[in-house]
Amino acid sequence: MPLKVWDGSAWNVMAQMKVWNGSAWVALVAGKVWNGSAWVQFHPGVQLQEYPASSGNIGLNHYSEDLGSPGAANSFVKIELNSSGTATYSYADQTTGGVDYLSYSWRLTGANTDYYAFMDAPSGDPFYTGSSATATSLQLNTTRSWSLYAEQFGSGTTVKSNSSTLRIKNSAGTDIVTIPTSFYVEAFVL
């Protein structure tokens, strides 16, 4: 990982950080810094914060229930990176509308057009219809989001879950920040 210093107008590489892997010195790909509330991967231009804090990933879980008869329940979680530089992790269900777990600035320097989002194809359930594409680089000149949705009509339970990895890449296609993700939604009707 290059160590960069701000000279007042640009980030300049001053050194290359390396770690011993047991047999050789290799370039450090990502480091973490404390941002005042959580450890986040260090890059001078972007960040992806963990949720919950210090978990090492983005883990979004939501449970919804309807105890009426006949009932209906739905549960929804979402990661969104918008073009103004804000990241939001949120949930919704049949009673709450939308609620943010966490919202912060993903873009620290540069223009949003300098960066690309890449969500690996998930293992488990596919992302909900309307989510951004997976396994492809998507320029962050517009909002990109990935969500999971479960619904249950009448007595029973519907569960959906998946896991993936979210990456921010530079224009050369190089990963600059990566973080594992896990989504879990459950809708229950008595």
Side-chain angles (χ1 to χ4, degrees), residues 119-120 122 125-129 131 134 146-148 162 164 181 183:
M119 179 71 83
D120 290 356
D125 292 303
F127 287 113
Y128 184 59
T129 303
S131 292
T134 60
W146 297 269
S147 58
L148 197 60
N162 71 26
S164 185
T181 65
F183 288 63

Side-chain angles (χ1 to χ4, degrees), residues 24-95:
W25 287 99
V26 295
L28 181 64
V29 177
K32 291 194 174 192
V33 294
W34 184 254
N35 71 0
S37 60
W39 286 99
V40 296
Q41 288 192 31
F42 173 75
H43 183 273
V46 298
Q47 66 174 338
L48 290 173
Q49 290 189 15
E50 303 167 344
Y51 183 86
S54 302
S55 64
N57 69 357
I58 302 170
L60 304 182
N61 305 296
H62 189 62
Y63 169 83
S64 175
E65 65 183 15
D66 185 349
L67 303 179
S69 179
N74 61 61
S75 184
F76 178 87
V77 294
K78 177 171 75 172
I79 293 174
E80 178 178 287
L81 302 176
N82 74 30
S83 58
S84 65
T86 302
T88 305
Y89 310 156
S90 61
Y91 70 90
D93 57 42
Q94 75 278 2
T95 60

Side-chain angles (χ1 to χ4, degrees), residues 72-75 128 149-153 157-160 185-187:
N74 61 61
S75 184
Y128 184 59
Y149 176 77
E151 63 185 359
Q152 178 67 38
F153 298 101
T157 302
T158 300
V159 173
K160 295 199 176 175
V185 287
E186 183 173 348

Side-chain angles (χ1 to χ4, degrees), residues 81-86 106-107 112 140-144:
L81 302 176
N82 74 30
S83 58
S84 65
T86 302
W106 66 262
R107 182 174 37 87
N112 53 343
L140 285 164
N141 59 344
T142 190
T143 297
R144 307 300 182 172

